[in-house]
Amino acid sequence: TQLLEQSPQFLSIQEGENLTVYCNSSSVFSSLQWYRQEPGEGPVLLVTVVTGGEVKKLKRLTFQFGDARKDSSLHITAAQPGDTGLYLCAGEGAGTASKLTFGTGTRLQVTL
Amino acid sequence: DTAVSQTPKYLVTQMGNDKSIKCEQNLGHDTMYWYKQDSKKFLKIMFSYNNKELIINETVPNRFSPKSPDKAHLNLHINSLELGDSAVYFCASSQEAAEAFFGQGTRLTVV
């Protein structure tokens, strides 16, 4: 069974602070996706990383895929209240068809 | 136009009842999923269908029976509901395992 552990589970920070969320596994993934989920809504895709070592930036968000494709990180610079939400990583298993395994989730709260 | 729509959004029912949740996607995707999100927000896959055929069944009790009449629809029927079935159920679709588009979820409460 492929497991994705995220840390931290909860994070409460003030506007303007930086933060990093980690997504770790002992399994190799062919790609890894990051989603954000807001209360009462389904998760929405932020980014997909495919190549080991890949770095993608989405405004103040920086995503990195580990060299061995077993882990990933999400770094947010100068967090804003609008970043508040549940962040989920999801890995596409190497060789498994049509299956995403979701991480345990990180709940982020950004206050003024 | 809503890409993935599921109904109902809220469902409150008594233990032992049978209920269904419907899902439709208008994205032309071949693959549809049912996920369960528990109170700790852990999102776990239940079923995956590709072109109306069951691909993944993740150790879900056989009280849960998915049905896909066509590739745009994946419904979930639950028999003999139990308290532990209370959760938010999400339908999603994707083209293979690319970006998954999720519905708004159905919050099921069994009392």
Side-chain angles (χ1 to χ4, degrees):
Chain A
T1 304
Q2 297 170 317
L3 291 172
L4 279 165
E5 294 280 344
Q6 287 183 236
S7 60
Q9 271 189 296
F10 302 99
L11 195 51
S12 181
I13 60 172
Q14 289 193 316
E15 185 180 17
E17 290 185 39
N18 301 332
L19 66 118
T20 302
V21 176
Y22 298 95
C23 173
N24 295 301
S25 176
S26 57
S27 302
V28 175
F29 293 96
S30 55
S31 70
L32 199 130
Q33 301 171 11
W34 283 93
Y35 290 78
R36 183 169 70 208
Q37 184 180 12
E38 298 188 19
E41 302 289 332
V44 176
L45 182 73
L46 296 173
V47 80
T48 301
V49 284
V50 178
T51 308
E54 183 177 2
V55 176
K56 278 193 175 177
K57 290 196 173 185
L58 188 67
K59 297 183 182 177
R60 294 175 293 101
L61 278 60
T62 302
F63 304 85
Q64 183 160 9
F65 201 10
D67 291 340
R69 291 187 286 129
K70 292 182 180 181
D71 53 81
S72 181
S73 64
L74 157 60
H75 183 80
I76 302 179
T77 304
Q80 297 177 0
D83 296 327
T84 294
L86 176 70
Y87 288 82
L88 296 160
C89 63
E92 178 191 357
T96 55
S98 303
K99 180 179 174 180
L100 284 177
T101 299
F102 277 83
T104 48
T106 296
R107 206 176 307 188
L108 171 65
Q109 182 168 23
V110 183
T111 55
L112 293 169
Chain B
D1 276 348
T2 304
V4 180
S5 60
Q6 54 183 109
T7 55
K9 191 168 169 65
Y10 300 97
L11 188 52
V12 181
T13 188
Q14 290 188 321
M15 274 198 312
N17 283 350
D18 304 338
K19 289 293 177 187
S20 292
I21 309 172
K22 294 187 176 181
C23 179
E24 177 181 3
Q25 55 99 0
N26 62 7
L27 298 166
H29 289 161
D30 289 334
T31 306
M32 295 186 72
Y33 312 82
W34 277 108
Y35 284 87
K36 179 180 180 181
Q37 190 170 45
D38 60 24
S39 57
K40 293 184 179 177
K41 303 298 183 185
F42 183 54
L43 199 63
K44 188 172 181 190
I45 191 167
M46 299 172 67
F47 301 101
S48 166
Y49 269 72
N50 185 276
N51 262 319
K52 303 191 297 175
E53 288 192 27
L54 180 66
I55 301 297
I56 294 169
N57 179 341
E58 287 285 311
T59 323
V60 179
N62 57 17
R63 297 182 295 105
F64 290 78
S65 51
K67 279 192 173 54
S68 182
D70 55 63
K71 77 172 195 177
H73 294 84
L74 181 61
N75 304 322
L76 183 65
H77 187 76
I78 316 170
N79 288 328
S80 304
L81 278 155
E82 300 177 358
L83 292 176
D85 297 332
S86 296
V88 181
Y89 291 83
F90 284 99
C91 175
S93 75
S94 73
Q95 198 56 26
E96 296 180 349
E99 175 183 0
F101 289 79
F102 284 81
Q104 284 197 307
T106 296
R107 183 175 292 277
L108 171 65
T109 304
V110 183
V111 297

